[in-house]
Amino acid sequence: MAEPAPRALCTDCGLSRTALAKACGQACQFLRPDYAALEQRVHGRARDPARPDEAHFGPFRRMLRATLTAPLEGAQWTGITTRLGERLLESGAVTAVLAMAADPEDRWKPRPVLVTRPEDMAACRGMKMGFAPLLALLEPAAAAGHRRIAVIGIPCQVHALRAIETELGLERLYVIGTPCSDNTTTEMFHRFLDLLDPDPASITYLEFRADFHVELRHADGRVRTIPFLQLPISKLPDDFFPLTCRTCVDYTNVLADITVGYMGGTGAQWLLVRNARGEELLGLIEPELAHSAPVSAGKRASAVKGFLANTERAAGGLPLRRMPDVLRPLVGWLMPRIGPRGLEFARARVEMKAVETVLFLRHKAPRRLRSMVPPHLWALVAPYGLAPRAEEQPPKRPPATTPGA
Ligand SMILES: Cc1cc2nc3c(=O)[nH]c(=O)nc-3n(C[C@H](O)[C@H](O)[C@H](O)COP(=O)(O)OP(=O)(O)OC[C@H]3O[C@@H](n4cnc5c(N)ncnc54)[C@H](O)[C@@H]3O)c2cc1C
Ligand code: SF4
Ligand code: SF4
């Protein structure tokens, strides 16, 4: 595989390693993303103001709270993502799936793979932490004659993929997206594991759950949950999260055909079926799912305001304001009971991420704000008193239209 081209803000999605490297300027989420135009092209319509959740989550036809009735062992949740890849290959809808397996030397390190047999999807189960050049596999896939493919990716990979999609000459492309936030390099992630447990090598699973706890599973079968408030976040180095992941603008993978996450799922998985191809994907696994409508409870505003106050300090280089130790267990107990839950939790997380983007860009890369922050993100932070300054106003773009419409 070719080496990545040097780029300032870059998560090495793989594009710069291909013959389309020059397209980074138009394709990159960190330069001048045009979500309105891409959403129009991919989903055939803009976000609908009459469906307020589209302001937070992007266009979708329906949302589901879902689990596989026979969960896949080793999956991050119940394995809906893996199963979608398997079913696409089993049914012949595609001949290849691009996804992330784990590095053979390090279970946490992602390694892009081109999967052509359903049984090989199993190697991609579970969340890895870090970046790996998924889109660099588009060239070997084309060279091997694959014209109907699926890509499973995180938002910064999917944005670049959608931007170059029409140049790939594919017969069919299915895009399965997961939400993504707070990613970091695999090396940094190991430092976090070192702080969490005296035997970090025994940790086989980690997830930030929607009930405000981190779940850890160990090789010997032990399971531990830690309230967010008791995580050693203040002991992490200032550069633990790269600026890319502090400032990316698409938490819920709005350009995927289907998003498979957990944030709005209250303990189950959370599916956003975004377009007709997303419906087709869901149809492949629907008989294997137990599903219901997502629920929503609690109020997010005070949690987002508290996050904003703390993030302002962190972005300005000040230490995080820590809650007094005596209050932590009480608040840790209360949060899952009275804090935002279900869709309200997902809205809170999306707003927190939007706040973080604006504050960190203002401090660390103010000249990027104008081109990188889309109008819909400014709308999410407006209730918290953040508005674009004159020099931060997004450029006026012609209204997005669907080709041929
Ligand atoms: C860094 C990161 C942060 C995330 N943060 C959130 C979040 O805040 N909220 C939320 O709802 N969901 C988040 N997710 C998605 C979530 O963890 C689950 O992956 C998703 O819900 C699918 O679960 P599953 O059981 O269907 O996945 P599985 O069937 O276990 O499959 C996991 C899939 O994830 C892909 N994958 C794993 N690691 C990576 C990686 N590093 N880069 C690219 N692709 C990868 C693999 O290709 C695989 O297909 C995040 C995922 C990642 C990678
Ligand atoms: S498009 Fe991909 S490779 Fe190019 S700069 Fe952006 S993240 Fe890096
Ligand atoms: S947090 Fe954002 S920039 Fe970082 S890996 Fe995830 S989608 Fe990409």
Side-chain angles (χ1 to χ4, degrees):
M1 193 180 283
E3 288 298 305
R7 306 274 190 252
L9 276 191
C10 174
T11 47
D12 190 14
C13 73
L15 191 62
S16 84
R17 299 172 185 249
T18 72
L20 290 172
K22 286 206 174 71
C24 284
Q26 283 74 50
C28 191
Q29 200 209 41
F30 306 111
L31 289 170
R32 52 186 77 84
D34 188 351
Y35 280 95
L38 286 175
E39 286 171 13
Q40 181 76 42
R41 200 192 78 215
V42 172
H43 305 308
R45 67 176 178 89
R47 297 177 186 216
D48 182 351
R51 292 157 56 88
D53 272 336
E54 294 201 350
H56 285 81
F57 309 141
F60 62 89
R61 289 184 172 195
R62 50 185 176 134
M63 286 195 279
L64 285 79
R65 187 178 173 272
T67 49
L68 275 180
T69 45
L72 300 186
E73 197 166 323
Q76 188 64 19
W77 286 78
T78 67
I80 289 177
T81 315
T82 300
R83 193 68 194 123
L84 283 169
E86 288 173 354
R87 290 290 298 123
L88 281 166
L89 290 164
E90 281 166 10
S91 65
V94 303
T95 56
V97 178
L98 275 52
M100 288 292 179
D103 185 291
E105 308 283 309
D106 181 348
R107 65 178 313 118
W108 295 106
K109 194 173 165 59
R111 187 172 62 94
V113 285
L114 184 74
V115 182
T116 56
R117 300 185 312 169
E119 59 270 32
D120 294 338
M121 279 307 303
C124 302
R125 288 166 303 178
M127 178 182 72
K128 278 67 72 178
M129 289 298 282
F131 321 108
L134 184 71
L135 302 188
L137 290 182
L138 289 168
E139 285 180 343
H146 297 291
R147 294 283 173 273
R148 282 174 290 118
I149 67 168
V151 176
I152 301 176
I154 50 180
C156 52
Q157 296 163 346
V158 168
H159 184 278
L161 172 67
R162 287 304 198 187
I164 56 150
E165 177 179 358
T166 51
E167 295 177 51
L168 298 175
L170 292 167
E171 253 172 54
R172 214 151 173 75
L173 171 66
Y174 295 87
V175 181
I176 300 160
T178 66
C180 184
S181 173
D182 302 329
N183 201 356
T184 184
T185 60
T186 313
E187 295 70 26
M188 279 288 191
F189 183 68
H190 278 290
R191 290 167 71 172
F192 181 53
L193 294 180
D194 292 346
L195 291 170
L196 286 181
D197 199 87
D199 183 12
S202 71
I203 301 174
T204 56
Y205 175 95
L206 181 145
E207 186 59 279
F208 287 79
R209 296 193 322 207
D211 64 356
F212 305 91
H213 285 70
V214 163
E215 177 178 339
L216 297 179
R217 294 183 200 156
H218 293 261
D220 61 7
R222 264 182 311 134
V223 176
R224 200 151 67 94
T225 55
I226 309 172
F228 287 174
L229 284 170
Q230 281 163 30
L231 289 173
I233 301 287
S234 58
K235 292 193 184 140
L236 293 172
D238 286 347
D239 59 351
F240 181 80
F241 295 112
L243 195 55
T244 46
C245 302
R246 288 269 199 207
T247 63
C248 71
V249 293
D250 175 18
Y251 196 158
T252 60
N253 221 323
V254 295
L255 298 174
D257 296 318
I258 188 168
T259 295
V260 185
Y262 65 84
M263 283 189 294
T266 36
Q269 293 194 254
W270 176 48
L271 305 184
L272 294 111
V273 181
R274 299 190 178 279
N275 55 29
R277 205 154 289 187
E279 293 283 4
E280 201 186 318
L281 286 162
L282 182 67
L284 288 172
I285 57 163
E286 204 158 0
E288 302 174 35
L289 291 180
H291 60 83
S292 56
V295 295
S296 189
K299 295 242 180 295
R300 66 186 182 277
S302 62
V304 181
K305 280 182 200 149
F307 178 88
L308 186 146
N310 230 356
T311 308
E312 257 169 351
R313 294 174 64 81
L318 294 168
L320 291 178
R321 195 167 273 144
R322 300 182 72 226
M323 178 171 292
D325 284 346
V326 284
L327 282 181
R328 282 168 186 249
L330 175 66
V331 178
W333 185 86
L334 279 173
M335 282 301 272
R337 290 162 177 84
I338 61 160
R341 280 152 283 153
L343 291 179
E344 187 70 356
F345 177 80
R347 294 181 200 110
R349 290 294 296 129
V350 168
E351 287 179 356
M352 287 174 183
K353 181 102 184 98
V355 160
E356 188 178 24
T357 296
V358 169
L359 295 180
F360 269 86
L361 280 179
R362 273 187 180 158
H363 277 90
K364 309 277 185 201
R367 298 225 313 258
R368 284 185 182 256
L369 246 139
R370 187 170 177 274
S371 55
M372 205 175 131
V373 178
H376 70 256
L377 194 128
W378 283 114
L380 294 178
V381 298
Y384 305 98
L386 291 174
R389 299 166 179 159
E391 68 282 11
E392 297 169 352
Q393 292 286 350
K396 293 261 178 301
R397 290 187 160 117
T401 50
T402 313

